[in-house]
């Protein structure tokens, strides 16, 4: 770790603490050369591996933007979308994998979106699951109705 003040190539860790409910580690450091102190925050870098093999950092905003398109015209608030984005990120981080296939991100979105809005779920699922006929929609609608029948 380089000192941000004098650029010395080594620093000493004085204290380490878990931060953000275990999602990161906060370290208090001191430079042996200039003796100045500073804090670093370490987080696991979550990346998405696309079908083409391209790797890019996970973006909660990208999840929210994609889901917002499916929710257009639906009674879904910005707060609901932010909460869904957070849920998806938490599930992906909890998996313990640093590299997540793009398909897995889509699967992870489907569950919370289904709970949020059935129409938006169908819109998203039709693109994600590549529906190519009315029968695909009918089958998905039937699976949406089944949990409702078991609750009665």
């Amino acid at each position: 770790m380089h000192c941000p003040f004098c650029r010395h190539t080594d620093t000493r860790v004085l204290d380490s603490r878990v931060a953000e409910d275990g999602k990161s580690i906060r370290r208090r450091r001191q430079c042996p050369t200039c003796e100045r102190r500073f804090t670093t925050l370490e987080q696991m870098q979550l990346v998405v591996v696309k079908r083409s093999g391209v790797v890019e950092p996970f973006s909660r905003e990208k999840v929210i933007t994609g889901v917002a398109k499916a929710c257009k015209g639906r009674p879904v608030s910005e707060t609901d979308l932010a909460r869904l984005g957070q849920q998806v990120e938490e599930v992906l981080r909890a998996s313990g994998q640093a590299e997540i296939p793009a398909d897995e991100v889509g699967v992870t979105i489907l569950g919370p979106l289904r709970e949020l809005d059935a129409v938006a779920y169908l819109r998203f699922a039709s693109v994600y699951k590549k529906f190519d006929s009315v029968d695909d929609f009918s089958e998905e609608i039937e699976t949406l109705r089944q949990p409702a029948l078991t609750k009665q």
Side-chain angles (χ1 to χ4, degrees):
M1 179 85 222
H2 291 275
C3 172
F5 305 107
C6 70
R7 303 300 300 159
H8 184 70
T9 58
D10 193 24
T11 59
R12 192 173 106 218
V13 175
L14 302 174
D15 182 44
S16 293
R17 296 182 187 197
V18 175
E20 298 180 33
D21 298 326
K23 294 179 186 173
S24 61
I25 298 174
R26 181 185 161 274
R27 297 195 197 279
R28 192 73 182 136
R29 297 175 177 268
Q30 183 174 14
C31 175
T33 304
C34 70
E35 296 187 6
R36 292 177 82 179
R37 293 182 177 193
F38 59 97
T39 302
T40 59
L41 193 63
E42 298 177 16
Q43 288 185 310
M44 179 182 83
Q45 180 69 40
L46 190 62
V47 295
V48 177
V49 181
K50 296 189 163 205
R51 290 184 189 116
S52 65
V54 174
V55 177
E56 66 179 43
F58 173 80
S59 168
R60 186 187 299 184
E61 287 303 314
K62 201 167 181 181
V63 168
I64 292 170
T65 301
V67 173
K69 290 175 187 174
C71 293
K72 189 171 183 175
R74 301 296 305 154
V76 177
S77 70
E78 294 291 322
T79 304
D80 293 333
L81 291 174
R83 193 175 304 120
L84 183 140
Q86 181 178 352
Q87 286 177 313
V88 169
E89 184 172 356
E90 286 173 358
V91 168
L92 294 174
R93 286 193 184 280
S95 74
Q97 299 176 18
E99 293 185 353
I100 307 290
D103 291 346
E104 199 169 313
V105 175
V107 168
T108 306
I109 290 170
L110 289 173
L113 184 55
R114 182 177 179 163
E115 297 295 317
L116 183 62
D117 188 274
V119 173
Y121 167 82
L122 276 174
R123 289 174 179 171
F124 189 86
S126 71
V127 174
Y128 176 73
K129 294 182 176 183
K130 299 177 184 167
F131 289 2
D132 57 341
S133 71
V134 174
D135 293 336
D136 293 335
F137 279 95
S138 296
E139 289 171 17
E140 198 67 36
I141 290 169
E142 194 56 41
T143 61
L144 280 171
R145 287 182 176 150
Q146 286 174 354
L149 294 174
T150 57
K151 290 179 185 174
Q152 293 177 349

